[in-house]
Each structure stands twice: as structure tokens, then as C-alpha cells.
Amino acid sequence: MELTMSTMRPLAKCAVKITGPRVSSPSNVCPLRSKIAARVPGGVRASRRFVVKAVASMPAESDEISLMKRLLELAEERERNSSAPAPAAAEGDYSGPTFNIQTFNAISAVGLERYDNGSFGAGRYSISGDVSELPGEPMAIMLRSHKLQVDEVAPTVRAIARCGAGTNNIPVAEMTELGIPVFNTPGANANSVMELVMCALLLTSRGILEGARHVEEVIVKEENGDHEKVAKRIEKDKSKFVGQELRGKTLGVIGLGQIGSRVVNAALAMGMKVVGYDPVLSVEAAWNLPGDRMTRATTLKELLSESDYLTIHVPYIKDVTHHMLNAETISYLKPNVHIINLARGEIVDGEIIASKYEDGTLTGKYISDFADPFLQDHPRFITLPHLGASTEEAEENAAAMAADEIMDFLETGTIRNSVNFPNAIMEPKQGAESARLCIVHKSTPGTLGKITTCLGDLTLNITQQINVSRGSIAYTVIDMETAPAEPDAMQNMIAAECDDIISTRFIGNPYTNELGTPGTYYYVPPTDWCSNV
């Protein structure tokens, strides 16, 4: 299956014409086709043609005076151009085909506005929750909590971004097989979640909710709304809701990433002692921690046994963090410990917690952002309606971050914050005018060598490249000194030579915008999944 798009965009140095539906053509159309026809069964399809304007010739070298005058004129022109401010692109002045983004859920306008304020300016992107309203097939998906199904992902989609940290509503494994990176937005809602954790600490240590309900449901009703009687009764009954201060108590923090590190610092500011545990702590996350002002536990058991309060900030990973708090680990807890879980409900075994409440082993409160069938009616269980990231600021930050990730990937092939692909960032060389090719392939020995051999056979010189892998998936970005005459034919050849290719994208030169139009060619080998779409 080949995915094609049509575009025409005049450029300062060259005009690019991309043809419409491709038809078979003889192999002698150009030298590149001749090379590929011999290596790709059935030949190749017709493709794009590049017309490059000739640069005005200089005066004849024999006329020395004319040459010097011409050089002086060019120098003066360069000086005038360098000192004059660059003209700003008028909004909507781009008239070529767009990068098409499909959305699910209501995405914050702050995030959607990023597409008009990107490096290429307004008019380069089309965004809609209705595919029929897009001018072409979607190339990326943005979503929040929508449970994405595989059959909702068009074969043209090359990236999916979740406006939030968790991606359990996306079929990540299937997207990996299709060569589609799934992005999330770690840290975008970190401050919002941290503030709710501090609120939860107060709700567990003081009888705030219980006292408020007692006033509304008991005192006001029993005193028939009589203000004087209600006021006296409030003073009389306040002793029922005596709590404890947070200062001096020990908070155990499981997971010391963007959210966990903020919770650590906030708890320290409130005078608490903090013990943290994170077996996969990154160097970047470690920089956000307050050093010797907290204690890092070497085992989960150590942290659990010391905690008066416990808060959880790890992603839900099946068979890894599923029921992290289970019969064994819960047995390490202090009887009066208070538990806060704003991560995912499945991380805590609610059935075991309920049984420990029943036999008196646990007496503290459990606050969760998620319902639990075993605890729903228990007086020590407080359920919040998944409020962790429900602030305007968090939604705006997450949407803006997701939009930036999609734009970086579509325009330059850059991968940041993907949950299934490795990070891949390759800055352009100073003054580089090379063309960029991005390849998703299986992480198998010899594949990179086959790719570079194909490019060498096509006399395409590689100026720089990166090759990174994550598990079974690999991602290669290659900058070539010059653009190939026929990018689709080049990609067909690479796919024919390398069985492990999943998809390729020819971006052109994204840093000068000479070839990096939304209509740039990309290739997805035929599969049972996309052949039926």
C-alpha cells in the first residue's frame, strides 16, 4: 500500500511539483528508476518531479572590471538584506496542503493554537474531531481520555499524542507494531496533581469532609435550621473530629518523577519528613530532588514500614505495577497509615485493603482518584472524581506540550516523550541544506547497513545520522547532502532491500522549509491491517 498526497509550493530556490495518483512508468524515465527497476519486482510507480531554477550566471571571468562591479553589487545587496527586518508571514498566507490532525475529546484551545504559532506559521495545519471535515486523511491524533481503538487509527496516521501522562487508553503495543510513536506529556499536570496530594494529606489528617457532612446532614436537620442552635451544636460536636498535624510526620513517596519530586518539596515545606522510593529514578528526575533533606529508601518494604502517610506516583504497567500494594506489601504498613492514590486504581488491591479494615489491621483513611468495588461504601474510603489533572492550567499545559510533540515529529522527525519509541533528536548542521529521511524498522542486525548501502547505490551522500532502538523497535534519521530526484522511488527501493522496514518518511529539508511540505512522501509496507482499511 502506498500513501500519496498532492502539493505544489513555490520556493525561493526551487519549485516542487508532486504528481497525483501514480501510474506505472517505464524504468528508463530517469537513472534512479533504472537502478530501482532492476532491484524492485514489478518496477516502481511514477513520482514527483523537481524543477530547479537556474541561478543567474555571473559575468564572464575575462571581463575583470564587470566582474568586480558585479561582486560589489552583490555584496551591497547582501548587506541591505541582512540589515532589513524579515517580513512577517501574514496569517493564513500558506495555501498548500496541510498536516491534518484528528482530535478526540475536547482539547484545550491553548494547545490547538500552537499549530498556528509554530515554526511555519498559520495555515500549515488542519485540526478537527470529525475526519470528514479534514481536507485529507489524518496524519496524527490528539486525545485525552478517549479509549482509542485500533480501527479508529487510519493507515495515514504517523503519530498519536495523549494530553496527559497515562496512555492506558491507547493500544500502545499495536501502535508499535504499526510503527506509530505514542507520545505523552509528563510533567504537564505535575503541579496540579501535587496540589491535590497536599489537599488529600489534610483530608486524611483532619476530619474535614466528615465534619462538613455532619453539619449538613445531622446538625442542620436535627436543629431544624435554627441558626443559634446550629452554632451551639457545631461548637459542641467539633470534638468528634479531632485530627493531627502533618508537621513532624513521615510521608512515603513511591515514584520520584515530575509529580513525586514536587510532592517531596511541598511536604518538606510543611515540616514533614520524607522518604522516597524509585528503583528507576532518572538522572533528570534526581536533579529535582532536595538532596539530603529527604531519605531515599532502597526497598519498598523500607519505605512502607516507616510511612505515616503514603502517596503513589507510578504509571500503571500490567504485570509490573498492577497491585503494587498487595497482601504482602500491605502487611508492612503501620496500622494507622493514610494512603493516597492519584495514579491508577489498579495499583492498589482494594479487596485486601477492605479485608484489613474489617479485621482492624488498618485504621487510617484511603483517598483515591478512582472508584473501587470493594471499598465504595466504606467510611474510611474517600473517592475523588479523578481530579488530579482537572485544572485549566494542567489541561492547557498538556495540550500545548502534545501539540509541540506532534509538530516536532511531523516536521523534523524528532521524538521526545514517547512511551514506545526511543528519544531521537538530531539537530541540523549549521547552514545545512540536506534532505531528511526518517525510517521505522525492527531492531535487527544488519538493517542499518542495508539502508546505507541503498543510499550509497543511489549516490546519495549521508551527512549525519542517528540510529536508536527501544525493545524490538528501531528508529533511524538520516540527513543526505542532496535531495533524491524521486523520494518515493528511493523509499520503495529501501523497503524492497530491507524486510524489517515498517515505514519511512521523506521530510525534505525541514529547517529551511524548502522541501518539508505536508505533502512529503511516506511509505508504509502493505499489511493485513491497512489493506482492509
Side-chain angles (χ1 to χ4, degrees):
M1 173 180 173
E2 292 186 3
L3 306 174
T4 65
M5 300 165 196
S6 300
T7 183
M8 180 178 290
R9 177 173 173 80
L11 303 168
K13 293 185 179 179
C14 65
V16 182
K17 180 179 180 180
I18 301 179
T19 62
R22 298 181 175 88
V23 295
S24 298
S25 62
S27 61
N28 62 355
V29 170
C30 71
L32 177 60
R33 289 198 176 279
S34 300
K35 291 183 179 182
I36 297 175
R39 304 174 72 162
V40 182
V44 294
R45 298 175 183 269
S47 181
R48 305 172 179 142
R49 294 177 296 142
F50 290 79
V51 181
V52 182
K53 292 182 179 178
V55 179
S57 60
M58 297 289 290
E61 293 186 8
S62 59
D63 192 341
E64 189 173 341
I65 296 178
S66 297
L67 174 61
M68 293 302 292
K69 287 182 177 179
R70 180 57 177 155
L71 289 174
L72 180 59
E73 290 173 0
L74 291 174
E76 291 174 343
E77 183 179 351
R78 285 196 300 270
E79 185 175 352
R80 287 194 300 270
N81 291 339
S82 63
S83 60
E91 183 176 353
D93 63 351
Y94 175 73
S95 59
T98 59
F99 284 115
N100 303 317
I101 314 297
Q102 180 183 7
T103 61
F104 291 90
N105 311 118
I107 306 297
S108 167
V110 172
L112 299 181
E113 288 169 0
R114 304 287 280 204
Y115 291 109
D116 280 343
N117 299 324
S119 58
F120 291 133
R124 182 56 62 96
Y125 288 85
S126 294
I127 303 102
S128 178
D130 186 349
V131 176
S132 65
E133 295 181 356
L134 293 172
E137 293 298 316
M139 303 173 191
I141 289 174
M142 280 183 77
L143 76 167
R144 291 172 58 203
S145 57
H146 174 75
K147 186 73 173 178
L148 188 66
Q149 305 299 318
V150 174
D151 59 9
E152 292 178 305
V153 182
T156 49
V157 169
R158 292 296 92 205
I160 298 172
R162 159 81 160 88
C163 301
T167 55
N168 56 322
N169 59 319
I170 300 172
V172 176
E174 290 85 346
M175 295 303 101
T176 304
E177 292 179 4
L178 295 171
I180 302 174
V182 177
F183 299 91
N184 68 344
T185 58
N189 60 6
N191 194 72
S192 175
V193 177
M194 177 275 291
E195 290 183 356
L196 191 60
V197 171
M198 306 318 293
C199 174
L201 286 172
L202 293 170
L203 293 179
T204 58
S205 62
R206 309 287 290 274
I208 298 170
L209 289 178
E210 297 87 346
R213 282 197 293 261
H214 180 74
V215 171
E216 182 179 351
E217 298 173 5
V218 178
I219 295 178
V220 173
K221 290 182 179 180
E222 291 184 357
E223 303 301 338
N224 296 316
D226 185 296
H227 172 67
E228 291 187 4
K229 291 182 178 180
V230 168
K232 290 180 180 179
R233 182 76 178 274
I234 285 176
E235 289 298 320
K236 177 183 176 181
D237 289 2
K238 68 180 182 181
S239 60
K240 299 177 182 289
F241 307 103
V242 175
Q244 61 180 359
E245 294 184 3
L246 296 175
R247 186 176 184 83
K249 307 303 187 300
T250 299
L251 172 65
V253 182
I254 303 177
L256 299 171
Q258 294 277 359
I259 297 172
S261 63
R262 283 172 169 81
V263 170
V264 168
N265 285 285
L268 289 171
M270 295 184 73
M272 300 187 76
K273 300 174 184 177
V274 179
V275 180
Y277 173 74
D278 193 331
V280 292
L281 182 67
S282 67
V283 174
E284 181 181 357
W287 280 107
N288 295 323
L289 297 174
D292 58 2
R293 294 176 58 209
M294 65 170 290
T295 301
R296 278 196 63 194
T298 56
T299 65
L300 183 59
K301 179 179 179 181
E302 178 187 346
L303 177 139
L304 296 176
S305 62
E306 294 182 18
S307 300
D308 300 312
Y309 297 81
L310 178 68
T311 181
I312 302 168
H313 303 288
V314 297
Y316 175 73
I317 305 173
K318 188 178 180 181
D319 301 327
V320 178
T321 60
H322 180 80
H323 286 178
M324 174 181 278
L325 282 192
N326 50 40
E328 178 186 358
T329 54
I330 288 173
S331 67
Y332 305 142
L333 293 170
K334 294 180 179 181
N336 61 345
V337 67
H338 298 296
I339 303 170
I340 300 169
N341 175 19
L342 305 184
R344 282 293 179 269
E346 298 89 342
I347 295 173
V348 176
D349 189 337
E351 186 174 12
I352 297 298
I353 296 287
S355 68
K356 296 300 181 182
Y357 281 152
E358 282 299 312
D359 63 24
T361 303
L362 289 179
T363 59
K365 298 176 187 175
Y366 174 29
I367 293 185
S368 177
D369 237 0
F370 309 91
D372 191 292
F374 302 102
L375 292 162
Q376 201 56 57
D377 297 323
H378 201 283
R380 291 193 180 93
F381 179 61
I382 300 174
T383 312
L384 304 178
H386 201 178
L387 294 177
S390 293
T391 64
E392 291 182 7
E393 294 87 349
E395 292 182 6
E396 290 173 356
N397 292 340
M401 190 172 178
D404 287 345
E405 290 165 349
I406 286 178
M407 288 191 292
D408 272 353
F409 180 72
L410 291 180
E411 295 173 6
T412 72
T414 296
I415 296 180
R416 290 185 179 90
N417 301 321
S418 172
V419 300
N420 61 334
F421 270 61
N423 279 348
I425 304 168
M426 187 168 73
E427 297 296 333
K429 291 185 176 180
Q430 187 66 29
E433 295 182 359
S434 58
R436 177 160 290 190
L437 176 66
C438 302
I439 305 172
V440 179
H441 55 92
K442 297 177 184 177
S443 182
T444 51
T447 300
L448 181 59
K450 292 178 182 178
I451 294 170
T452 56
T453 297
C454 285
L455 296 179
D457 289 346
L458 299 175
T459 65
L460 294 169
N461 185 41
I462 297 174
T463 57
Q464 63 175 346
Q465 69 179 38
I466 57 171
N467 172 257
V468 287
S469 62
R470 180 171 179 173
S472 62
I473 205 77
Y475 184 61
T476 298
V477 180
I478 296 174
D479 280 352
M480 299 165 287
E481 188 173 11
T482 56
E486 299 183 62
D488 56 347
M490 170 191 66
Q491 290 171 107
N492 280 325
M493 177 177 177
I494 292 174
E497 292 291 325
C498 310
D499 294 336
D500 292 327
I501 296 294
I502 298 174
S503 68
T504 66
R505 283 199 309 138
F506 175 75
I507 297 179
N509 189 332
Y511 302 102
T512 62
N513 197 23
E514 290 183 353
L515 300 174
T517 65
T520 51
Y521 181 85
Y522 61 92
Y523 173 93
V524 178
T527 65
D528 291 340
W529 173 76
C530 64
S531 64
N532 294 324
V533 176

